[in-house]
Amino acid sequence: MYNLSGSSLGDSWLLYGPEVSAGGLDRLRALGAVFLHIDLGHVAINGFLLLLIGREIERFAGTALYAAAFLAGGIGASATVLWLDWSTPTAGASGAIFALMVLLVGITRVRGGDLRAPMILILVNVVYTFIAPNVSLWGHLGGLFFGLLMVFFLVQPQPRVRWAGVLGVFVLACVLVLLV
């Protein structure tokens, strides 16, 4: 298996299908991998995007719902990787960030803002996904998909609807991880 610079924590959190399908606590890799990054550049890119996108979503939805959406997107991306790219070791918050990019588009639309910038952000990142080596295609596409599942709910004015939608997507993602 892929060794994350000799880090026992890294090796324990790396999303890797054969380990996750063993069951037990290894299923927590679907969550741990969202917070694990391969190197400093990986952390920097994801951190920068999270800073830009996250603050807008947090302002709109509040801290708790923003955190729930991040986790739902991240675990959803992990579930997608486990189902469609099972044997490739994966790590990073990129899937969660791709979900947040979709939410940013929805929030911008509801606010009546210009959709060009968030749409270009998604387009550039999708293109990067296809041209850069060692980037998780299914993690990124899974994040987009789970973001699409959440966006309708998150932009509703009723807090109950927002929470129900985001938590529903979170539960779906968790169930998909358990079924691997």
Side-chain angles (χ1 to χ4, degrees), residues 73-124:
I75 294 174
S78 289
T80 305
V81 168
L82 289 172
W83 277 90
L84 299 173
D85 198 11
W86 185 74
S87 63
T88 301
T90 307
S94 304
I97 291 170
F98 270 75
L100 295 180
M101 284 188 236
V102 174
L103 299 180
L104 181 63
V105 170
I107 290 167
T108 302
R109 185 174 185 277
V110 166
R111 289 179 172 167
D114 188 349
L115 292 175
R116 287 180 289 187
M119 293 299 287
I120 289 171
L121 179 67
I122 291 174
L123 178 64
V124 166

Side-chain angles (χ1 to χ4, degrees), residues 3 40-41 108 136 142:
N3 185 312
L40 189 56
T108 302
S136 176

Side-chain angles (χ1 to χ4, degrees), residues 18-142:
E19 296 289 333
V20 173
S21 65
L25 290 177
D26 277 324
R27 297 215 187 268
L28 290 175
R29 288 172 180 258
L31 173 63
V34 174
F35 299 99
L36 180 68
H37 289 78
I38 302 301
D39 57 29
L40 189 56
H42 193 204
V43 172
I45 290 169
N46 282 339
F48 179 70
L49 286 171
L50 190 59
L51 177 69
L52 291 178
I53 298 164
R55 74 174 166 200
E56 292 304 315
I57 296 167
E58 186 174 13
R59 283 183 192 152
F60 181 84
T63 302
L65 189 55
Y66 160 62
F70 177 88
L71 290 174
I75 294 174
S78 289
T80 305
V81 168
L82 289 172
W83 277 90
L84 299 173
D85 198 11
W86 185 74
S87 63
T88 301
T90 307
S94 304
I97 291 170
F98 270 75
L100 295 180
M101 284 188 236
V102 174
L103 299 180
L104 181 63
V105 170
I107 290 167
T108 302
R109 185 174 185 277
V110 166
R111 289 179 172 167
D114 188 349
L115 292 175
R116 287 180 289 187
M119 293 299 287
I120 289 171
L121 179 67
I122 291 174
L123 178 64
V124 166
N125 279 282
V126 168
V127 168
Y128 176 78
T129 298
F130 282 99
I131 64 172
N134 300 321
V135 172
S136 176
L137 170 66
W138 292 111
H140 290 182
L141 296 181

Side-chain angles (χ1 to χ4, degrees), residues 158-179:
Q158 304 89 356
R160 186 175 298 161
V161 173
R162 289 178 177 187
W163 274 102
V166 170
L167 292 178
V169 170
F170 177 80
V171 168
L172 172 64
C174 290
V175 167
L176 289 173
V177 168
L178 291 173
L179 291 176

